[in-house]
């Protein structure tokens, strides 16, 4: 089994070893109760000697839980098959106290699949599967976790939602493509809908992907400008791009669902005035978490949008068709309010994840796009490190060498600076220099 590097920057208490972008992360983390969690890979006979529950030569993953002088070993669920597991890593998230395990497995010996499960200190959680292209090998999976809790008016308890943001690359024939998928856990229940998006499409490329073996693992996923956003950076063809994913507040998603349902319920022969009044009423009845002035704005904007789409003789099927696309439009209007009117939503996609009677929405927007700069004259095996600012608007590429770290930064005009260098010596090593460059870029 091959444990490959996993470059992950996690939000709000996601705990990994320092020097994260510089080397392989440790296959051990500190759990919420002070236990040391350590991941092992090998055959079942090697990791569980004397146990005949599985075939002795089956490749599996095992989690050691160390408390004081005691060690408990647990078989990772989903790794019992005879197929090998790859790119395995541990990530601990302080907010929930969960430790996440992420790896690639081969389903039915032919379908590469990403698997994700969690350990709460005593038991395993559900095992998630993310397929993407069913025959494409997966590489360099990354994970960021966002969480929001809403105590809505009129509800007996708070609504807690966790979104696991995943990116990875897939190799198909001679092309590498970066993918994104959100996994939503709503009040402890996983949402079965797991849409996958190709990140290169948001850069406007007609034929997304780039030929292997180019900079096929150059990418990152990190926390964004606030607690609801993450930013992905990646290479696609000859472009370096950044994409922001923003989790839409639950109160806005609920409002969009309610208004869309109200429109779909309108029957044939309903006048435009009656339809517009129904929309305004639905906004005020389901928008109790918004300020009154915001509700007035939302109601009028949504009513105007509906008016533009209604014909003089609207039928029930017309209303149903309009309702099917209305949710995304409402989200765009609501997000403009949340960003002080600075975002027109034209270059964004509203991604809908369907749940049990409720929808979850994510806004995906292209933020940065730069030509890949000319690399310095270094050895072919020197892999650059990529750093992106928290809003995705700036980038830096760094090449760590023996006595210096060469780097280039993006400029306000959309180009790149000339080569610059940080000199290394006995008091400044490459890991420290790269961490300085990461912090410099992230805070731009």
């Amino acid at each position: 089994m091959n444990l490959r590097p996993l470059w992950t920057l996690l939000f709000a208490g996601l705990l990994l070893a320092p020097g994260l972008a510089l080397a392989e992360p440790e296959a051990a983390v500190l759990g919420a109760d002070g236990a040391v969690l350590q991941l092992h890979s090998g055959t079942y006979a090697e990791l569980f000697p004397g146990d005949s529950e599985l075939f002795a030569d089956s490749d599996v993953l095992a989690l050691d839980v160390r408390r004081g002088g005691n060690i408990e070993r647990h078989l990772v669920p989903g790794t019992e098959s005879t197929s090998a597991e790859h790119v395995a890593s541990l990530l601990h998230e302080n907010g929930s106290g969960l430790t996440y395990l992420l790896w690639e497995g081969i389903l039915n010996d032919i379908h590469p699949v990403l698997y994700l499960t969690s350990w709460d200190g005593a038991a395993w959680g559900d095992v998630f599967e993310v397929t993407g292209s069913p025959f494409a090998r997966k590489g360099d999976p990354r994970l960021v976790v966002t969480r929001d809790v809403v105590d809505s008016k009129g509800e007996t308890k708070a609504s807690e939602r966790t979104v696991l943001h995943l990116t990875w690359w897939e190799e198909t024939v001679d092309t590498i493509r970066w993918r994104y998928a959100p996994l939503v856990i709503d009040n402890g229940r996983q949402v079965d809908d797991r849409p996958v998006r190709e990140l290169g499409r948001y850069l406007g490329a007609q034929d997304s992907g780039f030929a292997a073996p180019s900079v096929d693992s150059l990418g990152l996923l990190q926390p964004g400008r606030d607690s609801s956003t993450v930013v992905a950076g990646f290479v696609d063809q000859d472009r370096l791009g950044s994409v922001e994913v923003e989790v839409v507040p639950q109160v806005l998603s609920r409002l969009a669902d309610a208004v869309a349902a109200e429109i779909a319920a309108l029957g044939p022969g309903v006048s435009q005035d009656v339809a517009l009044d129904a929309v305004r009423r639905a906004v005020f009845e389901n928008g109790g978490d918004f300020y009154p002035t915001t509700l007035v704005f939302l109601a009028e904007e949504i009513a105007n949008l509906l008016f533009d789409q209604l014909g003089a003789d609207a039928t029930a099927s017309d209303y149903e068709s309009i309702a099917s696309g209305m949710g995304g439009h409402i989200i765009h209007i609501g997000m403009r309010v949340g960003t002080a009117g600075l975002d027109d939503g034209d270059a964004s996609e509203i991604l809908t994840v369907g749940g049990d009677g409720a929808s979850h929405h994510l806004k995906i927007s292209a933020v940065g796009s730069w030509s890949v700069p000319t690399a310095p004259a270094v050895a072919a095996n020197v892999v650059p490190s990529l750093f992106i600012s928290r809003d995705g608007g700036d980038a830096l590429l760094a090449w760590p060498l023996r006595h210096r770290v060469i780097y280039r930064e993006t400029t306000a005009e959309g180009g790149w600076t000339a080569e610059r260098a940080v000199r290394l010596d006995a008091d400044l090593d490459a890991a420290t220099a790269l961490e300085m460059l990461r912090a410099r870029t992230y805070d731009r």
Side-chain angles (χ1 to χ4, degrees), residues 5 60 64 98 104 109 187 198 234-235 272 284 286 332-333 391 395-396 405 410 416 430-431:
V60 298
D64 279 359
L98 296 177
E104 181 201 38
D109 294 323
N187 286 317
E198 185 177 327
F234 57 96
V235 169
Q272 289 190 2
F284 282 94
N286 295 278
H332 274 306
I333 294 172
D391 65 359
L396 183 148
V405 174
T410 55
W416 293 85

Side-chain angles (χ1 to χ4, degrees), residues 113-182:
V113 176
L114 291 180
Y115 293 96
L116 179 69
T117 190
S118 61
W119 173 261
D120 66 2
W124 296 105
D126 295 328
V127 178
F128 293 91
E129 295 181 10
V130 179
T131 302
S133 297
F135 295 100
R137 288 302 307 268
K138 277 68 175 169
D140 211 2
R142 308 153 193 271
L143 170 67
V144 171
V145 179
T146 59
R147 177 177 292 101
D148 58 328
V149 178
V150 177
D151 187 8
S152 297
K153 298 175 183 178
E155 296 194 2
T156 58
K157 63 178 182 179
S159 174
E160 181 176 343
R161 176 179 58 177
T162 300
V163 181
L164 309 176
H165 304 267
L166 287 174
T167 60
W168 68 97
W169 58 253
E170 293 183 351
E171 184 175 3
T172 57
V173 189
D174 61 349
T175 302
I176 298 292
R177 301 176 187 274
W178 281 93
R179 310 285 191 187
Y180 165 79

Side-chain angles (χ1 to χ4, degrees), residues 248-268:
V248 173
Q250 297 182 60
V251 291
L252 182 55
S253 290
R254 293 171 182 173
L255 177 63
D257 283 349
V259 174
E262 186 73 25
I263 296 173
L266 295 172

